[in-house]
Amino acid sequence: MTGPAQPRPGFPWQRAATGANLLSPDGSLGVTIFEEMTTLALSTGAINLGQGFPDEDGPVEIKEAAQAAIAAGANQYAPGKGILPLREAISVHQQRFYGLAPDPQTEIIVTTGATEAIAASLLALVGPGDEVLTFEPFYDSYGAIIGLSGATHVTAPLLAPDFMPDLAALEAAFSPRTKVVLVNNPHNPTGAVFPREVLQRVVELAERHDAVIITDEVYEHLTFGVQHIPVATLPGAAERTLTISSAGKTFSFTGWKIGWLSGPEHLVAAARTVKQFLSYSSGTPFQAAIALGLGLPDEFYTGIADTLRYKRDILSEGLRAAGLDVLTPQGTYFVNVDTSPLGITDSVELARRLPALVGVAAIPVPVFCHADGAERTRSLLRFAFCKQLYVLEEAAERLATLWDRL
Ligand code: PMP
Ligand code: GLN
């Protein structure tokens, strides 16, 4: 007789040998890089510039709306596709900022964060034999879900210092098996914001290969002096594009896990079918509150971008003073540095030591890559700057001592 069934070691994407397991000493560690670095920051008392979450809550009126919704009894399952007022607010928001007008009844669903929107749409659209194309570095859940789906993950590199794709390499990465091209713009972890010509090229190549575009635009409002262009607004894109966003980034409520996706009815219906069996529905009282948030005036949206830009500059100054090469981001709340001026060639190892060395935690960029990309990015580290100014200033002071402590 055999004993009870044992879990297979490692995540599926680890078995697929992506870079996502670089910090797993035995290849079987079941936590993400974000969880691992946050745990390390907590155990060492380090300032956590690793996992990207703000250290201040979002607007008080949104919090009060959630509290009021709970008090009023909005505490049971929401409809699977989300409460109508939120779907309406998402549609109005897209009309207001981008001139898009998805139908709240058939072309929008609310999800449990962007993470679930990514999972539901990929699991709905791809399987073994299909290829999903992403840029590299790529957000960690992409590799995980593509692995779970059984599809093959193909990448096109984004190269430092500006992390723009080589368009010929992008074209070469498409194949007759490309079923989905998964874009992330503004881009985590690099902070790149893609210009119109790059996005238009993605659309043309997707059209040529009859691929669906899934576009993760969770940082849509976090750009610094450059315009965010939603893929769905480009010629030829709307009929083949699923757009994903999240309240976590825009409103600083990452713990509420309210996200959404929108696009043509047949694609949204496919994702909704899968979503039913992932979470069925998403936090009811938070949905009402985010509906209110989406209607906040323009000053709110410009205010968050201006504040983050200032924080980016404060942290960047500190990182430069520490002798690191700063790769200035145009969007998101992440800044990457090249540590090679300090003689460092392995940012994964440095990230593990950094909290004990100087009391700051960061994320090594190679973990967002497959093997070749990990090699290309092996001296890069990502710092989050969605923190209060005094925290960033203290982090900069601590990092200034790095050279002496290495
Ligand atoms: N996509 C990207 C590019 C992200 O950076 C994140 C998280 N920060 C997510 C998706 C996940 O968003 P959520 O927390 O809404 O699930
Ligand atoms: N998106 C956040 C980041 O890139 C982390 C979210 C998570 O922990 N899954 O830091």
Side-chain angles (χ1 to χ4, degrees):
M1 269 225 0
T2 54
Q6 295 297 316
R8 290 202 288 158
F11 292 141
W13 72 97
Q14 293 175 325
R15 294 193 291 270
T18 75
N21 64 346
L22 281 184
L23 288 186
S24 315
D26 60 358
S28 65
L29 191 65
V31 298
T32 70
I33 180 66
F34 306 116
E35 188 101 28
E36 171 155 359
M37 285 300 151
T38 290
T39 306
L40 192 56
L42 286 171
S43 67
T44 55
I47 296 175
N48 189 358
L49 304 187
Q51 191 175 29
F53 62 89
D55 61 355
E56 287 179 294
D57 288 346
V60 67
E61 57 270 47
I62 302 183
K63 280 206 285 195
E64 284 170 359
Q67 286 161 346
I70 290 172
N75 298 308
Q76 309 308 328
Y77 292 128
K81 60 185 176 179
I83 64 168
L84 183 59
L86 177 54
R87 283 181 279 126
E88 285 172 344
I90 292 165
S91 181
V92 169
H93 169 274
Q94 293 206 2
Q95 171 83 53
R96 168 177 159 199
F97 286 99
Y98 311 125
L100 296 166
D103 181 343
Q105 295 295 355
T106 57
E107 295 181 327
I108 297 173
I109 60 169
V110 175
T111 56
T112 303
T115 306
E116 190 192 40
I118 293 159
S121 39
L122 284 171
L123 294 173
L125 297 174
V126 299
D130 297 327
E131 288 177 2
V132 179
L133 174 55
T134 73
F135 290 127
E136 184 181 37
F138 50 85
Y139 182 57
D140 73 333
S141 86
Y142 301 176
I145 300 297
I146 296 167
L148 286 171
S149 79
T152 302
H153 188 179
V154 176
T155 59
L158 299 175
L159 301 176
D162 63 356
F163 297 110
M164 287 297 143
D166 175 285
L167 294 184
L170 176 66
E171 181 169 356
F174 275 82
S175 90
R177 296 198 301 156
T178 309
K179 191 86 178 283
V180 164
V181 48
L182 171 54
V183 180
N184 171 212
N185 182 45
H187 185 265
N188 179 10
T190 67
V193 179
F194 300 119
R196 188 174 298 274
E197 40 306 355
V198 167
L199 298 171
Q200 191 61 60
R201 194 76 189 120
V202 170
V203 176
E204 285 158 14
L205 291 166
E207 269 183 311
R208 190 194 298 168
H209 292 84
D210 199 20
V212 170
I213 302 168
I214 301 176
T215 177
D216 173 350
E217 302 183 3
V218 297
Y219 300 100
E220 61 185 311
H221 289 293
L222 311 185
T223 62
F224 316 124
V226 290
Q227 196 199 352
H228 168 65
I229 303 171
V231 172
T233 60
L234 296 172
E239 64 267 29
R240 62 176 66 252
T241 300
L242 275 175
T243 303
I244 292 171
S245 194
S246 166
K249 314 294 157 185
T250 302
F251 301 110
S252 297
F253 291 116
T254 59
W256 289 10
K257 298 298 292 186
I258 299 296
W260 51 88
L261 64 81
S262 59
E265 185 174 348
H266 68 288
L267 295 178
V268 170
R272 191 182 68 226
T273 305
V274 175
K275 186 239 150 62
Q276 293 179 106
F277 304 111
L278 295 178
S279 63
Y280 176 57
S281 70
S282 312
T284 311
F286 301 128
Q287 293 191 36
I290 296 303
L292 177 131
L294 285 166
L296 288 177
D298 289 355
E299 301 78 72
F300 165 76
Y301 290 95
T302 47
I304 51 172
D306 289 348
T307 304
L308 274 175
R309 183 186 194 147
Y310 184 65
K311 291 181 173 182
R312 172 196 71 175
D313 294 343
I314 295 290
L315 182 63
S316 298
E317 223 175 273
L319 293 166
R320 249 178 239 116
L324 300 158
D325 258 357
V326 174
L327 308 166
T328 304
Q330 293 185 307
T332 75
Y333 40 52
F334 305 113
V335 56
N336 289 272
V337 296
D338 189 345
T339 60
S340 50
L342 299 188
I344 290 158
T345 51
D346 183 350
S347 61
V348 174
E349 199 235 333
L350 178 65
R352 279 189 182 140
R353 291 172 58 212
L354 202 60
L357 271 181
V358 294
V360 178
I363 302 283
V365 176
V367 302
F368 300 99
C369 298
H370 293 159
D372 287 353
E375 187 55 33
R376 273 193 302 272
T377 58
R378 69 198 174 108
S379 59
L380 303 188
L381 260 191
R382 188 197 82 172
F383 291 86
F385 53 84
C386 46
K387 307 292 173 183
Q388 294 171 79
L389 272 180
Y390 80 89
V391 175
L392 298 174
E393 282 161 359
E394 171 67 27
E397 262 176 46
R398 294 183 184 190
L399 286 160
T401 66
L402 178 59
W403 176 245
D404 295 330
R405 288 167 195 257
L406 279 172

